Amino acid sequence: MLVLLPFAFAFAGAVCAAPPRAHKLVESVAPPRDWFNLGPAPADHVIPLRIALPQSDFDTLERHLYEISDPDHERYGAHLSKEEVEALVAPHPDSLRAVDAWLAEHGIPESACTRSPAKDWVSVNVPVSLAETMLDTTFHVWKHAVDEDQVVRTTSYSLPEHMHAHIELVQPTTFFSHMKNHRTTFRFSDSQSDAPSVPGETITVTNSDGTKILVDASCNTTITITCLKQLYNAVGYKPSATNGNEIALTGYLEQFANVEDLQLFYADQVPDALNSSFKVTLINGGQNNQTASEAGDEADLDVQFAFGLTFPTPGTFFSTGGSPPFIPDVDTPTDSNEPYTEWLDFVLAQHKVPQTISTSYGDDEQTVPISFAKRVCAGFAQLGARGTSLMFSSGDGGVGDGDPDPATQTCQTNDGRNVTKFIPGFPASCPFVTAVGGTINIPEVAVDFSGGGFSNYFSRPSYQDQAVTEFFATKLPKGTYAGLFNPNGRAIPDVSAESDKFRVFIGGQAFHIGGTSASSPTFAGFVSLLNDVRISHGRPSLGFLNPFLYSKGFAGLNDITVGNAPGCGTPGFNATSGWDPVTGLGTPNFAKLKDLVLSF
């Protein structure tokens, strides 16, 4: 039996006092695939409800975001302040009053609530019995068929009709995202080695613009910091440690970046960085376990390559808790698997946010309720408006679900119809982030697991119109995969980078690993170097990247035209000239991008 939070007892007597209200359905979902109902949830189990209030002027925020991110607009780089962003997304006072009154009706005092910086989210811990009354629903315990994770959820909920104008969504209710598959897109290479690669012969790489660069031949078997700087034309560039530029990484699912592993990596690949480290920020119960056996493969990979590429730029690792599975007969005061909102609440509350942030985690888009996905995406837009560039891995399942083995992908809709469809990933599908796909080998070709495709939740943003329209008109034969994807959806990925055979140190040992979890911190590293260029020249940071990438930045990218990423029993899409849903616009050519970002 769960131990209730102290104030939960106060709610119990107030439920009967709440006046009866006619409820109207807010959301209903089909029982998701692979989740099985074990029966009613314990009445005294505590749920951390997050209540989203409508953002009063998000349309204006979005307009500002596109203007200040368009290098041809006179307002380019005029990022908004924390206070300006909060004013645009703050709920209307009527909504604040209505939600407060509704909570009070159920005996929930103001002192029991916590609020996001803009007050557009209200969080309160309540027992199941009260949540069921508030939402006119019944919560059950659900168990996942594969790994036996258990969550307390419902398949529908309602609100009093007069509250629909004041509440957009309440979670966790219908949120069945499988958090072990809110995955680090991580994979060990078939070959693992404890021996450092030794530079030998060189390979001449001819970029898509005809320029040539030399890359150590060893980079075809082992990717190092040196390899990436050679391949992406950044050899010799040294960023500032003191100009205010910062880079950050996010960590979830109890992933800890090990400092001793980082020192081994630096000794192996970045000797100038030896004895330097990074800042760790703990959010929502996040941890920083430095025991060697607890070293996180994803966290070590992200930290070693992002901070190795950008040394001595100050780096931060955000360790966010709140996403472990729970067993409902264990004392668990919270049951939250929405860590993006916990992280967003924290970061948006800061007056200074790192200019570049990479995240190597994601879900199948369809497992995230569309209302929740759109609110999280709106949070990313707020960061973009404040001048932060956000990179997300595009996933490791090609056009399919996150299973990297095409033979075992289900590729069926999660709405009870079980229709075969390509499965895009989230948050990569959010139009306000930069989705990073993967390449392999020297010269580069598309890696066969690079996640890509088209969102079913978000429409195609205008910055993609020309590139994606050209792809459909001249690169994809008419009728190819008809019905398997949404041709009007936000297209994924935007860009790409090397994503396999990365030499990392985990638990004191060297391994080769890969995944688009390697390409996202890699691309972010070069974005941070570009921010260093701009800041050192008195310019504002790049902020939201995509309007720049699609209008001018593509000229500083290496177009990848070979390879494909299969999935769902198909060969998937092909890499081709121009934008494609495997490698996006291509991989970075830092020297060319450096000139481009100083041209406006």
Side-chain angles (χ1 to χ4, degrees), residues 344-367:
L344 278 167
D345 280 356
F346 177 87
V347 173
L348 288 170
Q350 309 308 303
H351 282 277
K352 189 176 191 305
V353 180
Q355 293 90 342
T356 308
I357 302 177
S358 175
T359 298
S360 294
Y361 299 78
D363 295 297
D364 292 345
E365 184 184 68
Q366 66 174 357
T367 68

Side-chain angles (χ1 to χ4, degrees), residues 177-200:
S177 178
H178 184 203
M179 291 313 296
K180 279 201 172 177
N181 286 337
H182 171 187
R183 42 195 155 278
T184 60
T185 47
F186 162 85
R187 47 194 279 151
F188 279 97
S189 296
D190 293 335
S191 60
Q192 301 178 10
S193 171
D194 290 330
S197 59
V198 178

